Amino acid sequence: MASAARPFTRGALRLAPANFRATATRNARFAVPRQTFPRQSRRGYADNAAPKSGSSGLLWGIGLAALGGGGFYYYSQNPDLFSGKEVKPKGPFTPKFEDYQQVYNTVAKALEEHDEYDDGSYGPVLLRLAWHASGTYDKETGTGGSNGATMRFTPEGDHGANAGLKAARDFLDPIKEKFPWISYSDLWILSGICAIQEMQGPHIPFRPGRTDRDVSFCTPDGRLPDASQEQKHLRTIFGRMGFNDQEIVALSGAHALGRCHTDRSGYDGPWTFSPTTLTNDYYKLLIEEKWAWKKWSGPKQFEDVTTKSLMMLPTDMVLIKDKSFRQYVEKYAKDNDAFFKDFADVVTRLFELGVPFTTGEDARWTFKSSFDEA
Ligand code: HEM
């Protein structure tokens, strides 16, 4: 199971105060129809089918019948050639909504199957991949953003902020092989959306149109946020992408999911007791829990005083220290629907940064998740 139904393996759930136990109990069920491959009709190459006696008349007869049969086959496959109509050459494959939904279903199924990873799901790291691909955007120069998938290349893939994202890229490789027509950049964003929806978050609309770019489009290091910083840094980084205070707080709710890893960022631990289910618990915990500096030799981070099993980054704590940010934390802590609505709106924009779409916003699609009714 890729989501909440799987027990949280690190034991934090057992320590969770009652009001923070994973609220969502829906089972992840996957409506991906099993593909059935009807057996191809067997060809009957019976040994005794070949003529045994050398009758030339019979051979001629067989030859003529074969020619006639071949002609009929050619006609039946190309009737327009004989009808006097203009024959248009078939264009390249143009994927439709159903094709992208099939990619979605395949990612969802892979999430369900690979429940051995981390807290039981690749979902959080897939979302982080989509966010780091998009969050390099600079509105002044129009550079960076989710077009290009340049994190595949050495300078950007090795940026400190992207440590650990190879796990997500490797997870998606077999899916890219299965659907070679989709660009890496569309696949990364579609998978981020799939991760959110399969972890019981809101629907995030999607439109394709991202193209992969070469190494020369890699963005310089330092465009993603640094967790050790304060509000000024957050406003500079997210302001460069075009986001305001409310949007910074709504985006940060993604930290209800996943965890920090000492071998990636250096920080350690999850933010909530249900790291594979999207809820507004991140905001509730920020406000209702007591937080203190963690005593350890790692980078400065906070831990909850009650269970010492949860964490907050310095940039997370800024959201309750800064008055302007705090009002939105309070709003989302009280109202999960308001959080889901604002989160969906801002993530849709985040994932489209820097993409020269040829279609309008009304061309966005919504994928069916495995929790939606058939
Ligand atoms: C506000 C500025 C932000 C900072 C400083 C920040 C920093 C971090 C850090 C240090 C980690 C731990 C990485 C690791 O050790 O594996 C992390 C994980 C994560 N971040 Fe953020 N982040 C920010 C905003 C966001 C946003 C906007 C999103 C998505 C919309 C996001 C989604 C995630 C997710 C899902 C994880 C968990 C990944 C996993 O479990 O492997 N973060 N973030």
Side-chain angles (χ1 to χ4, degrees):
M1 266 312 139
S3 75
R6 186 180 193 272
F8 178 25
T9 50
R10 308 236 172 185
L13 194 58
R14 274 179 273 121
L15 299 166
N19 52 331
F20 286 115
R21 296 235 168 86
T23 42
T25 51
R26 282 182 292 172
N27 283 326
R29 59 200 160 69
F30 287 82
V32 188
R34 275 193 195 286
Q35 280 186 323
T36 49
F37 297 99
R39 276 211 235 154
Q40 289 180 343
S41 55
R42 295 241 175 97
R43 288 207 205 149
Y45 289 119
D47 285 348
N48 57 5
K52 284 191 175 115
S53 66
S55 155
S56 60
L58 185 58
L59 282 179
W60 271 103
I62 292 170
L64 285 173
L67 271 176
F72 175 72
Y73 177 78
Y74 187 70
Y75 169 76
S76 63
Q77 296 300 302
N78 304 281
D80 289 352
L81 284 180
F82 300 88
S83 67
K85 279 192 228 156
E86 192 195 345
V87 181
K88 286 196 190 121
K90 273 192 188 158
F93 170 60
T94 312
K96 299 189 193 59
F97 170 70
E98 294 72 34
D99 300 299
Y100 288 95
Q101 177 74 56
Q102 225 194 329
V103 181
Y104 178 103
N105 294 347
T106 307
V107 176
K109 198 154 184 280
L111 281 175
E112 186 194 23
E113 283 168 358
H114 291 279
D115 64 355
E116 74 288 352
Y117 177 78
D118 235 5
D119 296 311
S121 174
Y122 271 91
V125 79
L126 285 189
L127 170 55
R128 186 167 161 249
L129 175 68
W131 136 239
H132 281 209
S134 314
T136 53
Y137 184 65
D138 175 10
K139 66 177 190 213
E140 295 304 321
T141 58
T143 55
S146 70
N147 201 37
T150 46
M151 203 199 296
R152 286 168 300 148
F153 304 116
T154 297
E156 199 173 326
D158 287 350
H159 290 168
N162 291 332
L165 289 178
K166 189 171 181 302
R169 297 196 299 273
D170 288 351
F171 174 84
L172 293 175
D173 270 351
I175 296 167
K176 169 71 177 149
E177 258 170 50
K178 193 168 174 199
F179 301 99
W181 49 264
I182 194 170
S183 65
Y184 279 99
S185 10
D186 270 342
L187 177 62
W188 289 1
I189 296 303
L190 186 156
S191 303
I193 289 173
C194 178
I196 292 171
Q197 295 189 177
E198 295 305 313
M199 292 188 289
Q200 307 188 33
H203 287 95
I204 310 288
F206 170 86
R207 57 183 156 149
R210 295 163 192 80
T211 47
D212 295 335
R213 295 169 131 182
D214 66 34
V215 65
S216 67
F217 287 89
C218 282
T219 44
D221 201 358
R223 288 209 177 174
L224 292 161
D226 170 354
S228 68
Q229 303 281 320
E230 299 252 315
Q231 51 268 56
K232 189 163 173 276
H233 172 76
L234 285 185
R235 291 195 173 103
T236 307
I237 294 282
F238 283 94
R240 193 207 60 229
M241 297 173 218
F243 295 121
N244 62 27
D245 282 7
Q246 173 261 317
E247 291 164 329
I248 294 172
V249 177
L251 281 170
S252 300
H255 282 173
L257 299 166
R259 61 168 51 242
C260 294
H261 304 79
T262 47
D263 58 343
R264 296 180 182 179
S265 60
Y267 296 100
D268 189 30
W271 290 265
T272 66
F273 294 108
S274 52
T276 60
T277 307
L278 187 61
T279 65
N280 62 343
D281 282 359
Y282 168 78
Y283 305 106
K284 285 197 203 167
L285 285 159
L286 264 175
I287 288 181
E288 293 170 20
E289 267 306 315
K290 272 213 173 92
W291 297 94
W293 289 110
K294 181 181 170 79
K295 290 189 184 72
W296 75 325
S297 55
K300 287 177 90 180
Q301 68 174 67
F302 292 85
E303 67 180 10
D304 71 303
V305 172
T306 317
T307 71
K308 295 188 188 309
S309 61
L310 300 179
M311 68 94 58
M312 287 288 166
L313 298 164
T315 40
D316 295 312
M317 292 305 284
V318 156
L319 303 186
I320 50 169
K321 276 194 233 152
D322 182 281
K323 257 192 173 172
S324 167
F325 286 143
R326 191 181 172 107
Q327 59 178 316
Y328 303 111
V329 176
E330 283 170 358
K331 176 178 171 183
Y332 298 142
K334 276 193 216 114
D335 188 346
N336 193 56
D337 290 345
F339 164 52
F340 269 24
K341 194 202 161 292
D342 289 356
F343 183 74
D345 287 349
V346 72
V347 167
T348 305
R349 265 185 56 214
L350 172 74
F351 285 176
E352 293 195 345
L353 292 178
V355 188
F357 288 111
T358 52
T359 54
E361 291 179 5
D362 54 348
R364 288 177 181 143
W365 297 318
T366 302
F367 295 118
K368 216 161 160 228
S369 88
S370 51
F371 297 106
D372 294 330
E373 292 307 317

